[in-house]
């Protein structure tokens, strides 16, 4: 794998693009694709043709004579001849099995002048055909004993073939062959491939199976006997159907265009014709070769023996390639599993890193908010003390007891202040907020610091003081708000017993 990656890194952009196009069509291993493209001069079409049709001998290499200087003595000649006698004979190279794709026929119109000259002959042929068909129809009513069967059959076939056999697509042609085969020879279990020879060729190459090509000619006298006694013999049919044989059966009628091309390319000289095709890895990694030809009628035992011998001979090579592909598939699957596990582990690590980063960001934000809140609280407390020092200087002095326009208030201070119960006189026209300010600034007033700080204390800017207590009467219970418009005389009267209750920040009254 490392060598393949190194080769890919050393390729030019044009060669890498050609490699990607070739792999997209053939799905071949990279280690085998690069040498094939190099032998094809990086021509994708030539490489694909070699992959499907097999690599034949190089014409250029065969044209160059392999001449080598001979420098040997008598002893070397004797040793070389002895070695050549002991060396095992080399297995003959099989004929290539090309991938045959039927070409559509192009109709050519007859020139109008020639058609005009041949019109009388055409009319005469049609008239003769009608007459012969009438005669054949009349002869069909004769008894079988006196009916000229051979003559009428040959003449009927000639008349039917005179109109031509319609060319079909490979899949439709295969279905027609199977239907005619069943009609002629009865129902059978032969697993004919339902498609063209090119598709069967590709399937056998991909799945490493043998391709058995059977070509039949309806006009041949031995066709019926060959099918009945050989091809449909239980032993032969069972061997073809056996999954362990790894055989794909394709049949064709030579009257069809595709089967006729197959007969010409496979060098068919006698019918019925059978050819066994398979991958020949020792002759080329992608080469399909014809490993056995069976021409003419033969006994079922001979036919089966020839097929079995070819399968056994080349089955070992196929098994080796199959094992190699399985190992490559296992290695590829193992790499995919390792890559998948690595990706999952990497995703988990990334998720954990993201969670840690989010947690650190959230902790930093919370710490920042806590610090800002502490700074705001400290600033507010500082401004609160400054406000108390300023507000203490703004409270009116206590009027004398002889003054008639006063309000006498007895306040029970909170226990946390330690002031206990205090009594104070206020002017009747002072607002209720004055009472709240007196309670808030009582510690400053009782300490005697108001007079000393009257000149230095100023009201803090951007500060709105909030009283964290409320003043209420007990019987009946009435809560007095720190209003700046309502006076103490109008709200409390001439006297009152009040309590000061501490409240929590944000609590409702």
């Amino acid at each position: 794998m490392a060598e393949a990656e190194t080769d890919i890194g050393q390729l030019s952009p044009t060669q890498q693009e050609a490699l990607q196009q070739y792999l997209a069509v053939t799905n071949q291993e990279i280690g085998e694709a690069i040498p094939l493209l190099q032998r094809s001069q990086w021509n994708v079409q030539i490489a694909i043709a070699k992959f499907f049709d097999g690599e034949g001998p190089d014409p250029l290499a065969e044209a160059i004579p392999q001449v080598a200087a001979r420098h040997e003595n008598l002893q070397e000649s004797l040793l070389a001849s002895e070695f050549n006698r002991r060396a095992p004979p080399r297995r003959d190279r099989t004929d290539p099995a090309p991938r045959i794709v039927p070409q559509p026929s192009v109709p050519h119109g007859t020139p109008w002048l020639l058609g005009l000259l041949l019109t009388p002959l055409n009319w005469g042929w049609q008239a003769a055909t009608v007459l012969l068909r009438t005669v054949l129809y009349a002869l069909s009513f004769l008894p079988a004993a006196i009916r000229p069967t051979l003559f009428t059959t040959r003449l009927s076939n000639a008349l039917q073939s005179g109109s031509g056999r319609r060319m079909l697509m490979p899949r439709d042609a295969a279905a027609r062959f199977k239907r005619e085969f069943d009609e002629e020879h009865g129902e059978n279990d032969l697993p004919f491939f339902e498609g063209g020879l090119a598709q069967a060729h590709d399937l056998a190459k991909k799945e490493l199976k043998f391709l058995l090509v059977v070509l039949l000619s309806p006009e041949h006298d031995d066709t019926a006997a060959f099918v009945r006694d050989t091809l449909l013999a239980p032993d032969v049919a069972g061997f073809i159907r056996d999954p362990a044989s790894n055989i794909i059966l394709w049949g064709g009628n030579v009257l069809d265009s595709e089967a006729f091309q197959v007969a010409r390319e496979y060098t068919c000289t006698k019918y019925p014709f059978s050819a066994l095709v398979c991958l020949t890895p020792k002759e080329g990694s992608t080469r399909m070769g014809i490993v056995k030809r069976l021409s003419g009628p033969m006994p079922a035992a001979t036919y089966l023996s020839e097929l079995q011998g070819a399968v056994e001979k080349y089955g070992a090579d196929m098994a080796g390639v199959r094992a190699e592909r399985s190992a490559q598939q296992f290695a590829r699957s193992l790499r995919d599993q390792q890559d998948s596990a690595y990706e999952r582990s990497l995703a988990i690590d990334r998720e954990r890193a993201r969670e840690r980063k989010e947690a650190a960001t959230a902790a930093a934000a919370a710490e920042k908010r806590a610090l800002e809140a502490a700074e705001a609280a400290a600033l507010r407390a500082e401004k609160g003390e400054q406000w108390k020092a300023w507000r203490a200087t703004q409270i009116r002095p206590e009027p004398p007891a002889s003054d008639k326009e006063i309000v006498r208030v007895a306040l029970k201070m909170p226990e946390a202040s330690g002031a206990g119960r205090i009594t104070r006189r206020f002017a009747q026209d002072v607002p209720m907020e004055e009472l709240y300010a007196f309670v808030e600034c009582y510690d400053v007033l009782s300490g005697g610091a108001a007079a000393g700080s009257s000149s230095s204390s100023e009201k803090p800017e951007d500060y709105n003081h909030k009283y964290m207590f409320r003043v209420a009467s007990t019987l009946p219970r009435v809560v007095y708000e720190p209003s700046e418009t309502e006076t103490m005389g109008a709200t409390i009267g001439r006297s009152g017993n009040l309590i000061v209750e501490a409240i929590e920040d944000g609590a409702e009254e």
Side-chain angles (χ1 to χ4, degrees):
M1 186 64 185
E3 183 180 356
E5 294 178 355
T6 303
D7 294 340
I8 293 177
Q10 295 176 355
L11 299 179
S12 64
T14 305
Q15 294 174 345
Q16 292 182 5
E17 182 180 359
L19 177 61
Q20 294 299 328
Q21 295 177 0
Y22 176 79
L23 293 178
V25 176
T26 62
N27 195 23
Q28 192 183 18
E29 293 294 331
I30 297 179
E32 299 177 356
I34 292 178
L36 181 59
L37 284 170
Q38 290 175 348
R39 293 193 298 270
S40 305
Q41 301 299 322
W42 293 97
N43 189 309
V44 180
Q45 296 180 355
I46 295 177
I48 293 176
K50 288 183 177 180
F51 176 79
F52 287 108
D53 299 339
E55 292 189 66
D58 192 352
L60 182 60
E62 292 181 353
I64 300 176
Q66 303 295 331
V67 180
R70 300 183 60 183
H71 301 281
E72 59 181 12
N73 52 27
L74 180 60
Q75 183 178 3
E76 292 176 351
S77 300
L78 294 176
L79 291 177
S81 61
E82 182 67 19
F83 175 78
N84 291 333
R85 285 196 300 269
R86 294 181 180 180
R90 185 177 61 89
R91 184 171 61 180
D92 296 335
R93 185 179 180 88
T94 60
D95 294 333
R99 184 177 183 268
I100 301 174
V101 179
Q103 301 296 330
S105 61
V106 180
H108 299 282
T110 305
W112 68 272
L113 182 59
L114 181 60
L116 183 62
L117 295 177
L118 295 179
T119 299
L121 297 178
N122 187 21
W123 290 348
W125 171 253
Q126 292 181 359
T129 302
V130 172
L131 179 61
L132 290 177
R133 289 181 186 274
T134 305
V135 172
L136 289 176
Y137 180 74
L139 291 177
S140 63
F141 291 98
L142 295 176
I146 62 175
R147 185 192 310 165
T149 306
L150 180 61
F151 172 74
T152 56
T153 302
R154 291 294 179 87
L155 185 58
S156 177
N157 292 336
L159 291 175
Q160 291 178 1
S161 61
S163 59
R165 186 178 177 89
R166 187 164 63 95
M167 180 178 178
L168 300 176
M169 297 299 293
R171 186 175 185 87
D172 298 333
R176 180 171 63 182
F177 171 80
K178 175 62 176 175
R179 183 178 65 254
E180 293 176 349
F181 188 88
D182 294 342
E183 292 175 356
E184 182 71 20
H185 307 288
E187 296 292 334
N188 56 86
D189 297 332
L190 289 179
F192 284 104
F193 183 77
E194 298 179 357
L197 182 63
Q199 289 75 24
H201 183 279
D202 297 341
L203 182 62
K205 187 174 186 179
K206 179 181 178 181
E207 298 184 358
L208 296 176
K209 293 185 176 182
F210 292 92
L211 174 61
L212 179 59
V213 179
V214 178
L215 299 179
L216 302 178
S217 175
E219 300 177 352
H220 201 278
D221 297 336
D222 297 328
T223 299
F226 169 77
V227 173
R228 181 183 64 253
D229 301 334
T230 302
L231 195 59
L232 294 180
D235 295 340
V236 176
F239 177 74
I240 296 175
R241 291 195 308 267
D242 189 3
S245 301
N246 293 322
I247 292 179
I248 298 176
L249 177 63
W250 185 87
N253 188 336
V254 294
L255 298 180
D256 293 330
S257 174
E258 183 181 19
F260 179 77
Q261 295 182 31
V262 174
R264 185 178 59 185
E265 295 293 337
Y266 281 23
T267 317
C268 175
T269 58
K270 187 176 181 181
Y271 296 102
F273 175 80
S274 300
L276 190 64
V277 179
C278 71
L279 184 69
T280 54
K282 292 185 177 180
E283 301 173 1
S285 59
T286 61
R287 184 179 183 275
M288 297 287 285
I290 302 176
V291 298
K292 178 62 66 174
R293 283 188 175 90
L294 301 173
S295 300
M298 63 182 63
T302 305
Y303 190 84
L304 179 61
S305 175
E306 294 290 340
L307 289 181
Q308 290 177 343
V311 169
E312 293 177 0
K313 181 178 181 180
Y314 292 91
D317 298 341
M318 301 276 284
V321 176
R322 193 177 294 110
E324 182 180 357
R325 289 189 181 180
S326 299
Q328 293 175 355
Q329 181 64 26
F330 176 76
R332 188 183 299 109
S333 176
L334 183 60
R335 288 196 302 269
D336 293 341
Q337 293 178 3
Q338 292 175 351
D339 294 342
S340 177
Y342 173 75
E343 291 295 337
R344 289 196 300 269
S345 176
L346 185 60
I348 293 174
D349 294 341
R350 289 175 178 172
E351 182 65 20
R352 291 176 178 174
R354 185 186 63 81
E355 292 177 354
R356 288 195 297 268
K357 184 177 180 180
E358 291 180 354
T361 304
E367 184 179 359
K368 182 179 179 181
R369 288 194 299 270
L371 181 60
E372 292 176 352
E375 292 178 353
L379 180 60
R380 184 173 180 81
E382 181 181 356
K383 288 186 176 182
E385 294 297 329
Q386 182 180 355
W387 182 89
K388 288 170 63 176
W390 167 79
R391 189 66 180 87
T393 62
Q394 305 298 320
I395 298 175
R396 295 183 187 183
E398 185 178 7
S402 59
D403 194 347
K404 301 297 184 182
E405 300 295 331
I406 62 173
V407 178
R408 182 182 177 88
V409 177
L411 291 168
K412 183 180 179 183
M413 302 294 287
E415 296 181 358
S417 64
R421 185 179 183 86
I422 60 175
T423 303
R424 180 115 168 15
R425 296 183 297 275
F426 295 90
Q428 291 185 358
D429 58 348
V430 297
M432 286 297 298
E433 194 273 338
E434 186 82 4
L435 176 61
Y436 273 81
F438 172 77
V439 175
E440 185 73 38
C441 302
Y442 180 74
D443 55 345
V444 178
L445 295 173
S446 62
S453 59
S454 60
S455 59
S456 60
S457 298
E458 296 181 357
K459 183 178 181 181
E461 298 178 358
D462 300 331
Y463 178 77
N464 184 19
H465 189 73
K466 182 179 181 181
Y467 296 104
M468 302 304 297
F469 60 88
R470 57 190 168 209
V471 178
S473 61
T474 56
L475 293 174
R477 177 174 175 79
V478 179
V479 177
Y480 300 106
E481 300 294 336
S483 175
E484 295 183 355
T485 58
E486 296 179 359
T487 62
M488 293 183 63
T491 304
I492 300 176
R494 298 187 64 85
S495 63
N497 292 324
L498 306 177
I499 60 175
V500 179
E501 299 175 345
I503 61 176
E504 297 293 336
D505 189 12
E508 298 180 357
E509 298 182 357

